[in-house]
Amino acid sequence: MHSRSCRFTLSLALGLTLLVAACATAPYTGRRQVLMVPESNEIATGSKTFEELQSRYPRCGDPAINDMVFRVGSRIAAAANRPDYHWEFVVLVNDREANAFCLPGGKVGIFTGLLKVTRDEAGLATVLFHEAAHALARHAGERQSQAMLAQMGGLGLGLGVGGMGGMAGQAIGEGYSMGIRYGILLPYSRAQELEADKIGMILMAKAGYDPALAMDFWRRMMTDEDVRLRPPQFLSTHPRDHSRMQAMVDFLPEAEKHYLPVVAAPPPPPAPPEMMPPAPVPPAAPLPTPAPAPPAEKAPEAAPAPKSAPKPDSDFDDLELKPMDNRSPAPSAPPCGQWVPPAK
């Protein structure tokens, strides 16, 4: 009995030590987290999963859709301020899959079926910023760490009750499993979803999207009859409810503090005087018709002018004089789907 007690105490002490050592803080919200998995492992797993998904589904070739996704994705990458992430955005063809994801390391995928739900750029931005928030807050690593701790707790419990009868041990084990599932894992899932809502709204504001647009999208999700009957996959694990909506409404003033509207580029300055086109030359006044000259001896016929002779001045009135364009050509677009940070 003494040996079992020692083993249980040792397991419990080891678990508590790892728990304290693995404490971290979620970005933007400051929530305390337990992370026992290196982020490099999460990123490696995310890259592998991203490759597998791309091999399973074809890429969308619609230029308008890809341009919209790249616009939103570029703003996500800039607002996230994670230069260690290799952001990549792809649209995968599957009209029956109304879903999107952001894997650790910045690998983002959008299924074409989601576009029927998002409908416009603001709706797409709302979903993608929410998914990016999960990756930035390392929710995948947090869930994996919770599972590891649950496993360790189960091991310690098994060592502690090893001498009990079968029925008693089984009851304790089942109670522990239910407590872990319904008392820890699911509430953490809800907490992570609410946190992703808040972080997503902050990132939208930093990227130049009015976070109030996110509210419009979620209201549509709650009132659209077709969506309520067949909710998209990205909503399957966290049902839309009024408490979640109210939490976003309450958080909106805080998100608005980060709002940086994207201002349209000013018109180019006028060209300097030396580059301005010369004023058009007014046409010369017609000369009066001379009086007919008295008949004279017929002069020898002049040779025809060579073809290379210049035209009369009046012919230059039809030329359109244009200034030289000394502006540098527009930069070439980055590779489709790949966000390239601007040069410092």
Side-chain angles (χ1 to χ4, degrees):
M1 185 69 179
H2 178 70
S3 176
R4 287 198 303 272
S5 176
C6 287
R7 289 197 300 269
F8 177 73
T9 303
L10 180 61
S11 300
L12 184 60
L14 177 61
L16 290 175
T17 301
L18 290 173
L19 180 63
V20 172
C23 280
T25 303
Y28 301 103
T29 63
R31 180 178 63 85
R32 299 296 292 173
Q33 296 176 290
V34 176
L35 290 169
M36 302 172 61
V37 183
E39 189 172 15
S40 58
N41 289 12
E42 298 173 37
I43 293 175
T45 303
S47 298
K48 182 179 178 180
T49 304
F50 193 58
E51 292 176 2
E52 291 174 355
L53 287 170
Q54 289 187 90
S55 65
R56 193 182 309 169
Y57 300 98
R59 287 197 181 199
C60 175
D62 189 321
I65 293 176
N66 285 314
D67 287 346
M68 179 176 64
V69 169
F70 185 76
R71 282 196 306 272
V72 176
S74 297
R75 292 198 192 185
I76 290 175
N81 193 26
R82 287 296 302 263
D84 56 324
Y85 274 25
H86 299 287
W87 293 94
E88 192 170 352
F89 308 88
V90 296
V91 183
L92 304 176
V93 178
N94 188 340
D95 291 336
R96 293 180 296 178
E97 185 86 10
N99 206 356
F101 58 85
C102 180
L103 300 170
K107 306 301 183 184
V108 183
I110 304 97
F111 292 102
T112 51
L114 180 69
L115 302 177
K116 295 181 290 187
V117 179
T118 57
R119 299 184 186 175
D120 54 23
E121 183 170 332
L124 179 65
T126 301
V127 176
L128 294 190
F129 275 95
H130 173 89
E131 296 300 326
H134 280 302
L136 294 172
R138 296 188 60 191
H139 287 164
E142 191 175 13
R143 294 299 298 273
Q144 187 175 354
S145 300
Q146 293 164 11
M148 291 170 64
L149 286 174
Q151 233 178 355
M152 291 174 56
L155 176 63
L157 183 65
L159 291 173
V161 300
M164 291 187 179
M167 293 292 292
Q170 183 179 355
I172 292 176
E174 289 178 356
Y176 176 80
S177 298
M178 292 180 65
I180 288 295
R181 176 170 175 76
Y182 296 106
I184 297 178
L185 296 184
L186 290 185
Y188 263 91
S189 176
R190 289 192 290 268
Q192 288 173 341
E193 292 302 331
L194 291 173
E195 186 171 67
D197 289 338
K198 294 179 179 180
I199 296 176
M201 292 170 68
I202 292 175
L203 292 175
M204 281 186 70
K206 286 178 172 288
Y209 291 102
D210 187 345
L213 297 174
M215 311 305 302
D216 295 339
F217 171 79
W218 289 115
R219 287 191 187 97
R220 189 169 77 241
M221 291 295 97
M222 293 182 67
T223 58
D224 190 298
E225 189 64 28
D226 186 61
V227 172
R228 293 173 65 185
L229 292 174
R230 291 181 294 275
Q233 285 90 334
F234 75 96
L235 292 175
S236 60
T237 58
H238 37 282
R240 307 176 306 286
D241 53 29
H242 291 282
S243 61
R244 180 184 183 186
M245 188 73 183
Q246 188 59 50
M248 286 188 278
V249 171
D250 295 340
F251 189 73
L252 182 59
E254 180 65 28
E256 292 278 8
K257 295 178 183 178
H258 302 271
Y259 182 33
L260 299 173
V262 175
V263 181
E274 62 271 14
M275 296 301 298
M276 296 295 288
V281 180
L287 297 175
T289 305
E297 293 183 11
K298 187 176 180 181
E301 193 170 339
K307 292 183 179 180
S308 59
K311 294 183 178 180
D313 289 345
S314 60
D315 288 348
F316 283 92
D317 293 341
D318 296 332
L319 276 180
E320 185 178 45
L321 299 177
K322 297 181 180 179
M324 292 178 59
D325 188 356
N326 62 346
R327 294 172 296 176
S328 59
S332 58
C336 178
Q338 188 81 32
W339 184 77
V340 180
K344 297 290 185 183

